[in-house]
Amino acid sequence: MATPSSPPKILLTGATGYEGGSVLHRLFKHPSLASILSPSNPVTLPVRPGGGDRISKLTETYGPRVNPIAITSLDDVETVKALAAEHDMVINAGTGFHPASAEALVRGLAARKAATGQPAVWMIHTSGCSNISDKPITGAARPDVEHDDADSAAVFAFEAAENEREWYAQRAAELVVLRLGEELGVSAISIQAPCIFGTGEGLFQQAGLMIPVTMASVLQQGYGVTVGDGTGDIDYVHIADLVDLYVLCVLNIVEHGGSSLETGRHGIIFPTAGRTLTRDIALRCLDVAFAAGHLPKEGGPQTKEIRTLSLEESAAMTAGNLYIAETGLAGHRKTKGTVARTRLGWEPVYLEDAWMQDFETEMKAALEGKRGSTFEACIAAEGHSKEICQYF
Ligand SMILES: NC(=O)c1ccc[n+]([C@@H]2O[C@H](COP(=O)([O-])OP(=O)(O)OC[C@H]3O[C@@H](n4cnc5c(N)ncnc54)[C@H](OP(=O)(O)O)[C@@H]3O)[C@@H](O)[C@H]2O)c1
């Protein structure tokens, strides 16, 4: 795509988040990228300044290698599009629940391509496996289906059909990126993550979602919960392995023009390192809390107990969002990650042992008051996005 003498201009969203902050950190740590991500070619970081001085912290930490730009919100799609139009590569590592800004980023990249006449511009998008989940309580149950990214086009077609039936912001964002990328000649891939675990390396949000939220609930209530028949499942990946995949993608693009990457509807990548029953996440939280003497609580269950909730009851954990409650707690989301391993040589190193160990890390972090992850924050971005999305 480019050489150190003409390095690609890169924009990264989500620098204040768990994934985006970790990706940024790892990009700067990779020796092969040092000449590309240099003070003369800083990474543009659109961020909401927030209450504290997050922009100063980014600059103090990474120096002139970053160019943080204050934005009011991703809802300001004209600004987002104009920013993308000044870049050759967008790493959309912030919220996956904002189709309007995802669309704006692709449109901006297309404008860049048209203005410069360069052969390729790239979008690395971030999404999540609830896109392919079944809805075993209110819809179809598909407990045995495993989606394989080796046939990404089939996954794309499945998601497109699902979204016709029921619009879901995170799925809409992925579809718009891949479909519009094809139409406008923007090379787009989507890293569709399962449950991410492990402590992140970014400057701000360092906690994942599923284990921290479940741990908080278990420690507070003294019991775990499940929804449905208890067979709901999800794959997992450690944040460090996940961000390594982003780095591999960036490297492949800058060093080999993205020759190992398929794009558009063929560009969905599942980064998976292991699989668990969702119910077992709650059970493992109980295991570590009982073993460390933090449970049982006075007045609470004296043995390890998993209560089966109705969908409506469980939605208290997911900001009242019934869709996320059903896919997140009862759904089956089996993804087979073939592409990253076979095409990019990605080999996750944090496997089942690390997964099990993370529950203790998260319990300690929760007890030290270092965790505040909520589903609410995760899905907040979908707010007005459907209305301002031009494409769907
Ligand atoms: N975490 C997981 O376990 C997980 C698993 C699978 C898939 N994913 C996918 O990955 C995405 C990112 O996850 P994450 O854990 O990194 O989330 P996160 O820590 O909550 O970070 C989200 C980032 O997006 C930014 N953002 C959100 N809404 C915005 C808005 N309206 N305007 C401007 N910026 C906005 C946030 O900025 P502020 O700091 O200003 O809020 C933050 O930088 C998820 O949305 C999901 O699609 C996550």
Side-chain angles (χ1 to χ4, degrees):
M1 180 187 196
T3 61
S5 58
S6 64
K9 287 175 68 68
I10 298 178
L11 179 147
L12 179 139
T13 65
T16 55
Y18 176 53
E19 278 190 66
S22 303
V23 172
L24 185 66
H25 179 83
R26 262 321 153 91
L27 287 174
F28 284 132
K29 279 187 80 173
H30 201 287
S32 301
L33 289 171
S35 60
I36 303 240
L37 310 175
S38 65
S40 59
N41 185 41
V43 180
T44 303
L45 308 173
V47 292
R48 292 191 284 202
D53 206 348
R54 304 199 294 178
I55 286 189
S56 304
K57 194 166 178 193
L58 282 161
T59 310
E60 278 160 22
T61 307
Y62 299 115
R65 293 176 299 170
V66 293
N67 178 24
I69 306 244
I71 58 163
T72 50
S73 166
L74 291 170
D75 291 352
D76 180 1
V77 287
E78 289 309 320
T79 298
V80 170
K81 182 179 164 192
L83 276 173
E86 294 166 8
H87 295 81
D88 308 306
M89 185 192 302
V90 168
I91 305 172
N92 192 23
T95 176
F97 287 82
H98 203 283
S101 62
E103 175 184 344
L105 289 166
V106 176
R107 290 191 185 280
L109 282 168
R112 169 78 169 181
K113 189 177 177 189
T116 60
Q118 60 184 295
V121 288
W122 283 85
M123 170 95 159
I124 301 175
H125 180 66
T126 299
S127 199
C129 69
S130 50
N131 291 2
I132 52 92
S133 178
D134 65 357
K135 295 186 77 182
I137 298 169
T138 63
R142 291 181 291 265
D144 301 322
V145 172
E146 182 180 66
H147 297 269
D148 188 342
D149 59 7
D151 193 355
S152 167
V155 179
F156 179 93
F158 173 79
E159 288 192 39
E162 286 292 283
N163 232 45
E164 282 289 313
R165 228 178 23 80
E166 187 170 11
W167 192 90
Y168 173 48
Q170 184 183 248
R171 191 164 51 210
E174 181 171 71
L175 290 168
V176 79
V177 164
L178 300 176
R179 195 179 275 160
L180 195 57
E182 284 181 354
E183 283 179 25
L184 301 182
V186 171
S187 303
I189 62 172
S190 177
I191 298 181
Q192 190 187 116
C195 172
I196 310 168
F197 72 100
T199 303
E201 296 175 304
L203 297 179
F204 306 99
Q205 174 61 278
Q206 296 189 325
L209 195 60
M210 198 110 176
I211 298 181
V213 168
T214 309
M215 184 63 75
S217 160
V218 162
L219 288 172
Q220 193 192 353
Q221 301 184 100
Y223 58 87
V225 300
T226 190
V227 179
D229 64 4
T231 64
D233 54 15
I234 189 166
D235 295 309
Y236 55 73
V237 67
H238 193 281
I239 182 73
D241 285 326
L242 177 64
V243 299
D244 276 350
L245 176 59
Y246 282 81
V247 172
L248 283 175
C249 291
V250 172
L251 279 170
N252 189 261
I253 292 166
V254 296
E255 292 177 348
H256 305 290
S259 60
S260 299
L261 297 167
E262 294 200 81
T263 58
R265 70 194 60 221
H266 304 285
I268 297 170
I269 303 178
F270 295 140
T272 59
R275 184 169 296 164
T276 180
L277 292 178
T278 314
R279 184 180 191 279
D280 283 349
I281 298 177
L283 200 53
R284 180 70 185 152
C285 290
L286 285 170
D287 283 344
V288 296
F290 270 83
H294 300 298
L295 292 180
K297 284 163 79 124
E298 214 179 302
Q302 296 303 296
T303 54
K304 295 173 198 171
E305 186 181 319
I306 302 277
R307 294 187 185 170
T308 301
L309 301 186
S310 70
L311 194 54
E312 288 70 23
E313 287 167 332
S314 72
M317 274 174 81
T318 59
N321 186 315
L322 290 168
Y323 190 99
I324 305 266
E326 184 169 4
T327 57
L329 297 165
H332 304 90
R333 296 154 286 176
K334 295 181 183 63
T335 52
K336 185 171 179 199
T338 302
V339 168
R341 287 176 173 83
T342 57
R343 299 182 75 94
L344 294 162
W346 179 72
E347 203 48 64
V349 293
Y350 295 94
L351 306 176
E352 192 179 355
D353 285 354
W355 167 256
M356 296 302 262
Q357 182 59 40
D358 195 55
F359 287 83
E360 287 182 21
T361 307
E362 284 303 324
M363 181 179 65
K364 286 188 192 118
L367 292 168
E368 288 165 8
K370 291 182 181 164
R371 292 293 185 256
S373 305
T374 60
F375 277 98
E376 191 163 21
C378 177
I379 59 179
E382 75 177 300
H384 304 106
S385 194
K386 185 173 184 182
E387 288 76 61
I388 56 179
C389 188
Q390 298 168 34
Y391 199 68
F392 282 113

